[in-house]
Amino acid sequence: MIKNMLILIMLIGFSNGAIGQVNGECYLYTTPNGVSVFEPETGIAKTVYCDSMVFLYNFVKYNVQSSITGRYISICGNRMPDVAFIDNESVEYTHVAVIIDLENDSKWTIQNVEKVSWSPHHDLFAYIGGENIHQGDYYYSTGAWLVDPGSKEKNGIFIEQLHFDDIYWRESDNNIYLESSGVVKYDPLTKEIKKTPYRSCNISPDGKYYFIASLEGELAAFIRVQNNSELTIVLEDEKDMPFGLQCHMIEWTIRDDVSVAYVSDASGLFEVDMSACVLKRIIPPSPDIDPIGDLVGFRQGRPVWAKISGDKAELFYY
């Protein structure tokens, strides 16, 4: 039996070999079709999920997550249809979430799930999904649900919303944030739904800033919540992002009581200290480390990388 897992450091990386440390005792790591747990003390690697019909999403931060106690793991991916082509026309994949109970090795699959976000306080999660509707080149989730994985009870938050792009369960106020044309928050205790000043779920831990990723030619932006104004981000090295802020969010952290954003473009990993508004390239401690591909999480607001060799892993700190 795997030891009780209390904390899952954010799983960030790409599908083959990315790992995440759990409670300082175990590691979760992914393969293209599954997830395994490796215990350094025993040297035993145990596969907790494997399905050749499910392809995990590339961006592992949202692919594999753990509940706050570590009892449950959620895995989001695309399930292949039984027949890939009908009359020379391709059949679309089904978006699924597989919920694994590590205490009894049971598995539960939920159909049509786009993204999962776990409660920061209890073994509960929320997800966006439902019957997906196709608009242009994108698929939009048409609902949001609150789920108890123990009882498998599902309660609708929104059932017939036009679309949702993102979901995030924040620790600071225990509210579930949902992004559509704007961002609303749902209080799971009072069941109240309120509008927010945000335009993105990428909100800093102190609630003072939010981030809008670059998309379709538009530059990324950091926005100050107080007056909804865009911050001017200065490049420490002008050769980084010479065409402007073109990046996506990796993770918000807190360091020395200041919000720090970690973002990435095609070339590497960068940090933005919100007190100085300076974008700085992160150089890993070894030239053999891929700053994005080997990134497994953050400790005390700083990146942690891992190199995997067989059934062993070595961690590197910034």
Side-chain angles (χ1 to χ4, degrees), residues 179-200:
E179 180 181 340
S180 182
S181 55
V183 176
V184 297
K185 64 179 181 179
Y186 171 80
D187 188 326
L189 297 180
T190 66
K191 299 184 179 181
E192 289 184 307
I193 298 171
K194 296 181 179 180
K195 292 183 179 180
T196 77
Y198 308 116
R199 289 183 285 149
S200 162

Side-chain angles (χ1 to χ4, degrees), residues 31-101:
T31 65
N33 300 113
V35 176
S36 297
V37 177
F38 173 66
E39 297 186 23
E41 289 185 5
T42 64
I44 297 174
K46 177 182 178 180
T47 299
V48 295
Y49 180 74
C50 184
D51 188 341
S52 61
M53 298 297 287
V54 173
F55 290 90
L56 304 183
Y57 297 153
N58 279 339
F59 195 44
V60 183
K61 173 182 176 182
Y62 300 115
N63 180 347
V64 181
Q65 298 183 53
S66 169
S67 67
I68 187 64
T69 65
R71 174 174 176 173
Y72 300 97
I73 294 174
S74 62
I75 303 169
C76 292
N78 292 326
R79 178 175 291 280
M80 292 177 60
D82 294 333
V83 180
F85 296 91
I86 299 178
D87 296 330
N88 296 321
E89 292 188 6
S90 62
V91 178
E92 295 171 358
Y93 292 97
T94 301
H95 294 200
V96 300
V98 180
I99 312 302
I100 300 173
D101 186 337

Side-chain angles (χ1 to χ4, degrees), residues 150-168:
S151 65
K152 298 184 181 180
E153 180 180 357
K154 296 167 58 177
N155 293 302
I157 301 173
F158 288 96
I159 304 299
E160 297 179 350
Q161 175 73 16
L162 177 60
H163 74 268
F164 287 114
D165 297 312
D166 204 357
I167 184 170
Y168 181 61

